[in-house]
Amino acid sequence: PLLHLMSSFTQPDVLGITELRDMVERGRAEAEAMARQVQEARDRVGALRAGAKEGASMPKLIRSGGAGADRQPWQSSMEADMQALFSFVAQKVDVAREPDVFEHQHAFPLGDRIVELGRMVQWPLEGCDLKFSVPSHLAGAVTRCLHEMKEGGGLDAASLRGWTTGWELLIGAPEPAVFLKHRSTHACILCHEGK
């Protein structure tokens, strides 16, 4: 009996080692999956950067981070970027066309903010693979703004200042996208690829 007791202390706990080996293997598989996800994210960011350099459909002035020489003396860089976005969309959208309507119920992070889309209206942008999506309750105000852009060539200083004080322009990923995030609500306007 004493010899049997001593031998049980010297033999490895096969069941414990097997469980430990399985845990290590699961951890290794999870780490490999995470490494693949990180690489995919890096690849998407690289594609975004390459697309911006090659002249993807997003407004060039916004992709470059500022309107530069096209900026009016009274405009801040935020106002110039906002003007560039609205000008781009106004040239490419037919707001007289009936928009598609969709509902997006899930909130998502955008930088350090949370965005809730809710009920949206959406128009395709002509000549490119982009869509312009607006919260349905703001569609009237946005279409009036786009009509102003088409008719008068730009937003006046007061309108532009209203947009930049109420909304923040953000460039997004993983797909090329420009977001106008309302500063005090979860509302968001998007110019984006795909659906």
Side-chain angles (χ1 to χ4, degrees), residues 74-76 78-80 82-83 86 141-142 144-149 153-167 180:
W74 51 267
Q75 287 180 326
S76 69
M78 287 188 310
E79 291 168 336
M82 191 77 70
Q83 184 87 276
F86 277 109
V142 171
R144 281 190 298 279
C145 175
L146 294 172
H147 281 299
E148 280 182 41
M149 291 295 296
L155 296 174
D156 62 40
S159 295
L160 204 49
R161 203 153 289 121
W163 279 102
T164 56
T165 57
W167 298 81
L180 287 179

Side-chain angles (χ1 to χ4, degrees), residues 78-123:
M78 287 188 310
E79 291 168 336
D81 286 346
M82 191 77 70
Q83 184 87 276
L85 174 64
F86 277 109
S87 177
F88 173 80
V89 171
Q91 292 170 19
K92 304 262 183 200
V93 73
D94 178 8
V95 291
R97 177 186 178 267
E98 189 68 28
D100 294 329
V101 178
F102 69 94
E103 188 85 25
H104 187 278
Q105 295 296 327
H106 304 287
F108 61 93
L110 181 60
D112 60 350
R113 295 159 186 80
I114 299 296
V115 172
E116 296 173 5
L117 298 182
R119 187 172 178 80
M120 304 286 284
V121 297
Q122 180 180 84
W123 294 273

Side-chain angles (χ1 to χ4, degrees), residues 2-187:
L2 183 59
L3 186 58
H4 176 68
L5 181 62
M6 289 178 61
S7 67
S8 68
F9 286 120
T10 60
Q11 291 186 5
D13 176 11
V14 174
L15 182 60
I17 289 176
T18 302
E19 288 175 354
L20 185 58
R21 195 174 292 140
D22 289 346
M23 285 176 43
V24 168
E25 189 57 40
R26 282 191 304 270
R28 182 178 298 135
E30 287 176 16
E32 289 172 359
M34 282 191 244
R36 282 190 301 275
Q37 289 175 341
V38 167
Q39 186 58 49
E40 288 170 4
R42 285 182 178 144
D43 293 345
R44 285 192 303 262
V45 168
L48 281 173
R49 287 183 177 146
K53 289 176 186 168
E54 294 168 8
S57 300
M58 286 295 162
K60 182 180 177 185
L61 300 176
I62 293 170
R63 284 195 321 268
S64 66
D70 294 337
R71 189 168 87 191
Q72 299 297 319
W74 51 267
Q75 287 180 326
S76 69
S77 63
M78 287 188 310
E79 291 168 336
D81 286 346
M82 191 77 70
Q83 184 87 276
L85 174 64
F86 277 109
S87 177
F88 173 80
V89 171
Q91 292 170 19
K92 304 262 183 200
V93 73
D94 178 8
V95 291
R97 177 186 178 267
E98 189 68 28
D100 294 329
V101 178
F102 69 94
E103 188 85 25
H104 187 278
Q105 295 296 327
H106 304 287
F108 61 93
L110 181 60
D112 60 350
R113 295 159 186 80
I114 299 296
V115 172
E116 296 173 5
L117 298 182
R119 187 172 178 80
M120 304 286 284
V121 297
Q122 180 180 84
W123 294 273
L125 299 185
E126 297 172 358
C128 59
D129 189 28
L130 296 174
K131 311 279 186 198
F132 185 62
S133 302
V134 177
S136 61
H137 68 281
L138 296 173
V142 171
T143 56
R144 281 190 298 279
C145 175
L146 294 172
H147 281 299
E148 280 182 41
M149 291 295 296
K150 280 187 176 187
E151 292 174 6
L155 296 174
D156 62 40
S159 295
L160 204 49
R161 203 153 289 121
W163 279 102
T164 56
T165 57
W167 298 81
E168 182 178 10
L169 192 140
L170 303 164
I171 306 298
E175 297 148 354
V178 176
F179 298 88
L180 287 179
K181 165 69 180 87
H182 195 270
R183 294 183 189 273
S184 59
T185 70
H186 295 296

